[in-house]
Amino acid sequence: MNDKQLKSAYWKTNLRYLALLLVIWFIVSYGFGILLVDPLNEIRLGGFKLGFWFAQQGSIYTFMVLIFVYVILMNRLDKKYNLDEK
Amino acid sequence: MDVQLWTYLLVGLSFALYIGIAIWSRASSTKEFYVAGGGVSPLANGMATAADWMSAASFISMAGIIAFSGYDGSVYLMGWTGGYVLLALLLAPYLRKFGKFTVPDFIGDRYYSGVARTVAVICALFVSFTYVAGQMRGVGIVFSRFLEVDINTGVYVGMAIVFFYAVLGGMKGITYTQVAQYCVLIFAFMVPAIFISIELTGNPIPQLGFGSQVSGEDVYLLDKLDGLMTELGFTAYTEGSKSTIDVFFITAALMVGTAGLPHVIVRFFTVPRVRDARISAGYALLFIAILYTTAPAIAVFARTNLMETVNDKSYRDIPAWFNTWENAGLLAWADKNQDGIIQYRPGPVFEESPTYTNQRGESGERTISNPLSANENELYIDRDIMVLANPEIARLPDWVIALVAAGGLAAALSTAAGLLLVISTSVSHDLVKKQIAPDISEHAELWLARGSAVLAVLVAGYFGINPPGFVAAVVALAFGLAAASFFPAIIMGIFYKRMNKEGAIAGMICGLGLSLFYMMRYKLGWIGGPTTPDDWWFGISPEGFGTVGMLVNFIVSIVVSRFTSPPPEHVQDMVEEIRYPRGSGEAMKH
């Protein structure tokens, strides 16, 4: 592959990662925390109703995990395509 | 030592620390003044971003807002954290690679247009000024409540401190004081939370505590609170009363607004490399999440404590803290049925905030002159009390109470400083250097930046002392405006090469204009008379309307760009350039 193809492959993989992570981001916050909150509240997690827990705790933990996963994925991708910073 | 002395001691020590750091980290070039020389470590930047982001409102008011809105308060929790995912994934790395000083820099270069740059500067100034006025007021309020000085005196002290490190140190001074301020504020927030969590549930981790059983009782805390509330006619704590669509739109507006706030974005220009920008967004969210996952726990503890200590109790037997905060004007009791007992029920006791008379009622309470409402509720509670009075309500030691004061000040000062820097940079860099006088020397520009910081401190102080009535309403709306203006322009600038200046400018103007109109019409009532929530479009409140503005911005931009010529070659190359990390800040050589 030449430089241009390499870069375009890098960018496409990046966009795929973004799409995947943002779908999870959306499902956990808007899905579990808002749209599906009532059915999820039927399920208990200790003293929490599950939907309430996602809205006030779980979504925030997920956000953190998503960013750190993204960092690891991208650092690896940068190296693979030799686009990382020296 | 009493509370007063402890407060002077802790606040004094923390101020001495901030000033010490300011002197140690003076800025000597514009690069240091604007972006701390671009050499901040990602961990330090994460902490500074967290302090920058968490304002007096996060520290003092948020737990209270959640305590009184239960599930509905989730919009703030998700909204003000979820935006960091967008920042980390969609904005921070690319803007770092772009490697200039400000958001208007990016908009101006990407859209090859002075008009776009000017629109961005106006948005940045507008958002920052509405925000900073609230912060200076916050400093004054914390001073007046804990040290019993006049609010205005508090604002002057706050101005003096911010003046010291923002004007001298620029971004460099701000960054390192914010690191210290983060440590102070998070310690101050966590200590009472942990104490109260142990007291109520026996679990030292508040995040787990509010899902645990109440100490000595066979019932979960949240179930108990739901029970207490429904018994008195309130909506259950874990159920919401806002419509789903409104919760959805408000959350989205806050998330996207967070990702579009200039004082947050600019922090990612201060780290050395693209990968540092990514990871520091992660650290920032981690540090923010410590407070944001604790706040809902505090909310539950405080609401439960309050209902148990105050409701259906005789005023004469009420604990001393009640009188303290009644005297401070944050509590009021109107004995509607003349039985000497405090009835706490749903609905407002009276409209607006209490106006006290100089007399005492039959039970010794401060009487108020507001016309009373017809419902049974007799208790007025200012939401800020949930954090401010929490240590006293839970009978924690004096030094913990003093710590809360130092934490509140740290939160307000750190945010104020970050905003003031955006304002001064917008003036000295984006307006003067880039548009009015491009030949200005480095030395002169640095002094100009300092001068505009001085001016910004004075203006912010003025608004802190004479707060315009609409500030409180507008701060929440600032997010909607940021969402409707900056966010789409930046995103498409990075991910859509075909986007041109005509599209971006039209989008920003339509998004911002529509949101402003909606807010003036349905929130501030400046256009066409009073309105009720029934008049809202699709049931979306003004707080959530920024999301609609954002969508309109995207659509208008794309449509307009289709009918106008594509951006010039060098701009398309620039977009290509910022997508790849290698060689951040300068042109790639291959």
Side-chain angles (χ1 to χ4, degrees), chain B residues 51 77 187 217 223 471 488:
Chain B
L77 294 167
F187 186 66
E217 293 173 45
D223 293 338
V471 159

Side-chain angles (χ1 to χ4, degrees), chain A residues 58-71:
Chain A
S59 54
I60 303 176
Y61 300 134
T62 313
F63 296 153
M64 280 194 285
V65 173
L66 288 175
I67 296 184
F68 285 106
V69 168
Y70 169 75
V71 170

